[in-house]
Amino acid sequence: MIKIAPSILSADFSRLGEQILETKNAGAEYLHIDVMDGIFVPNISFGAPVYKCIRKLSDQFFDVHLMIVDPMRYVDDFVKAGADNITIHHEACANQIETLQYIKSKGIKASISIKPKTDPQVLRNYLPYVDMILIMSVEPGFGGQSFIPSATESTKTAYMLVKESGRDIDIEVDGGLSAKNVDLVTSVGANVIVAGSAVFGAPDMAAAVADIRAAGDKTYLKAL
Ligand code: DX5
Ligand code: ZN
């Protein structure tokens, strides 16, 4: 069964707490938290102080996506603020494995992400160190963009690498996903689906989450 991770980047920040509870009541197992530094991506979102305030609102799995240069600098802050997973970018630093090991040493999950143009074969090196792989299906930086079709092939490659390794590693895909196209990634192995505008922009959040889940579960691994 797939898991749904609403990205709060698309939430109405004037009523963030309320909106988070809505995602929880809608049955979303994860909450996806996009942290941006204006350098790795051309946008700035929020940092650990905001995160710390929302942590106490929900017992969902808090999935922190660090789109920042040299993420090691902020691991402690997000661990202290209560992250369940921290994802770093392959492209964001030179000491990726050391950073992943440091995250793991804090007793939480560690994950690696690649941007749409990055060769998914680079993921091979990370397999012993990660709990999840995050395939970006838009250029990171903004919600509401269109899904980049090459992400399907990257997701499939990631799934095959994980399968070969025999390790238990989740495959998350992030960007431009909705109930209409989620099959493009679930059918080739994605089991954690990030959705920002498709959830927070929907008139009925519970229906949006249920629709994505139904479409994803129905097509999971069907193209392999
Ligand atoms: C983009 C972020 C995504 C984004 C997804 O940099 O990592 O999590 O918020 O938003 P949608 O689902 O609207 O593409
Ligand atoms: Zn994200």
Side-chain angles (χ1 to χ4, degrees), residues 5 7-10 32-34 36 41 65 67 89 134 136-147 174-178 194-199:
S7 160
I8 59 167
L9 195 61
S10 297
H32 185 81
I33 292 142
D34 288 307
M36 304 175 175
V41 292
H65 178 192
M67 285 164 275
H89 266 267
L134 168 55
M136 286 307 299
S137 44
V138 296
E139 284 299 333
F142 300 91
Q145 303 181 73
S146 299
F147 179 83
D174 181 5
L177 290 169
S178 69
V194 178
S197 40
V199 169

Side-chain angles (χ1 to χ4, degrees), residues 94-156:
N95 57 344
Q96 302 97 333
I97 289 175
E98 191 196 333
T99 308
L100 291 165
Q101 286 176 316
Y102 185 68
I103 296 169
K104 292 286 284 183
S105 78
K106 298 289 167 183
I108 64 166
K109 295 195 171 181
S111 308
I112 191 81
S113 180
I114 56 167
K115 299 206 281 182
K117 292 192 188 108
T118 300
D119 182 350
Q121 290 296 337
V122 302
L123 296 169
R124 203 180 274 280
N125 291 338
Y126 297 110
L127 295 172
Y129 309 101
V130 295
D131 298 292
M132 183 167 77
I133 287 169
L134 168 55
I135 304 290
M136 286 307 299
S137 44
V138 296
E139 284 299 333
F142 300 91
Q145 303 181 73
S146 299
F147 179 83
I148 296 174
S150 63
T152 295
E153 203 49 42
S154 297
T155 304
K156 185 175 170 183

Side-chain angles (χ1 to χ4, degrees), residues 151-187:
T152 295
E153 203 49 42
S154 297
T155 304
K156 185 175 170 183
T157 303
Y159 179 79
M160 293 304 182
L161 289 173
V162 167
K163 207 171 162 202
E164 242 174 64
S165 76
R167 296 202 63 237
D168 182 15
I169 298 173
D170 287 318
I171 305 204
E172 179 177 54
V173 182
D174 181 5
L177 290 169
S178 69
K180 288 204 175 76
N181 66 359
V182 71
D183 63 300
L184 295 174
V185 295
T186 49
S187 64

